[in-house]
Amino acid sequence: MDNIFKGLGIALVTPFKESGAVDYDALRGLLRYQLDNGADFLVILATTGETPTLTKEEKSEIKKMAIEMAGGRVPIMMGCGGNNTAAIIEELQTEDFYGIDGILSVCPYYNKPSQEGLYQHFKAIANATRMPVVLYNVPGRTGVNMKAETTVRLAEDCPNIVAIKEASGSLEQVDEIIKNKPAHFDVISGDDALTYPMVACGAVGVISVIGNALPREFSKMLRLEMNGEFEAARKIHHKFTDLFSLLFVDGNPAGVKAMLHEMGFIENVLRLPLVPTRLTTLQRISSILKELKI
């Protein structure tokens, strides 16, 4: 099974009204903006979408809207992971995945399994579905790093495990995966700031946070780099260096929500336990956007 998730993927935020309710009008506008400005695929109901705070009904409505807005123009990946393997398998076997082209499954968090535990967890998930599975390694959030050898082992043993969203922050680990992986398997950047060097190493795209706000610019960088125009791509990469750090200094998605608010797309509202960025961060984001004339 080949990987269809390449280029610019958007890790979709969930806009909220001041009341705390999901702002579906803002979400519709955001999806239209991304689809019209270079998004190659959508990633819904994952970390950036504050998914743990959403009700089952809200998740269903967001999924429905994303499928309708995409209209088959781009693939949709949906978050489906956790630290209870049996519960994930049950979800895969009982929930409606109509209109979803693949799942993103994060490494189990909090319980810190061994490498063998990670292998057995993801193998069980892959065996429970016919859909493409994209692994998500983000040790800064989960407390455990899936090593390159474990990733490659899963890619070799499970034909429908087609890619990994790699956010370990280690270019050495990324390079090891790309060097040893089977042909059908791809690496996708899970870190906006490292996307340029990761694509240079052989990654096929990014699942992007900043892409929520700047899809056209980030998409242009990717296309230039993948076309071998490294100098032009690097100029765009360096233009956003300060924004990359600001988007995460107060946690994700607080930074990108502040940015989207400054651009007039959404209210600057998150659900507890997350809170908006500090005022100093918001002011700096606003200043950089003005400098960039965005």
Side-chain angles (χ1 to χ4, degrees), residues 91-213:
E91 181 180 352
L92 286 169
Q93 294 177 339
T94 60
E95 294 297 320
D96 179 16
F97 286 88
Y98 177 79
I100 302 300
D101 300 289
I103 65 164
L104 177 69
S105 199
V106 70
C107 284
Y109 39 81
Y110 187 72
N111 42 17
K112 299 180 76 170
S114 67
Q115 294 300 305
E116 183 62 23
L118 290 171
Y119 172 81
Q120 295 296 343
H121 169 82
F122 283 121
K123 183 178 181 181
I125 288 171
N127 287 340
T129 180
R130 294 181 180 179
M131 286 190 296
V133 176
V134 177
L135 311 174
Y136 181 15
N137 184 38
V138 57
R141 286 182 176 271
T142 63
V144 61
N145 175 49
M146 185 157 66
K147 294 180 180 179
E149 60 195 59
T150 305
T151 300
V152 172
R153 183 183 173 200
L154 283 162
E156 290 175 339
D157 294 350
C158 306
N160 63 325
I161 293 183
V162 298
I164 184 168
K165 178 185 177 184
E166 180 59 50
S168 65
S170 169
L171 290 176
E172 183 180 2
Q173 180 161 298
V174 168
D175 201 42
E176 188 177 346
I177 296 169
I178 292 171
K179 177 184 176 182
N180 297 311
K181 70 178 183 65
H184 81 280
F185 184 84
D186 288 324
V187 173
I188 302 168
S189 171
D191 186 334
D192 285 330
L194 291 181
T195 297
Y196 180 86
M198 283 181 67
V199 170
C201 286
V204 300
V206 60
I207 295 175
S208 174
V209 174
I210 200 172
N212 278 279

Side-chain angles (χ1 to χ4, degrees), residues 211-222:
N212 278 279
L214 303 174
R216 179 174 294 188
E217 293 83 353
F218 214 52
S219 173
K220 183 179 179 181
M221 185 198 81
L222 279 170

Side-chain angles (χ1 to χ4, degrees), residues 7 35 60 76 83 93 105 113 129 142-143 161 165 203 216 233-234 248 252 256 282:
L35 291 166
S60 178
I76 298 176
N83 58 356
Q93 294 177 339
S105 199
T129 180
T142 63
I161 293 183
K165 178 185 177 184
R216 179 174 294 188
R234 186 163 55 244
F248 296 94
N252 181 49
V256 74
L282 179 62

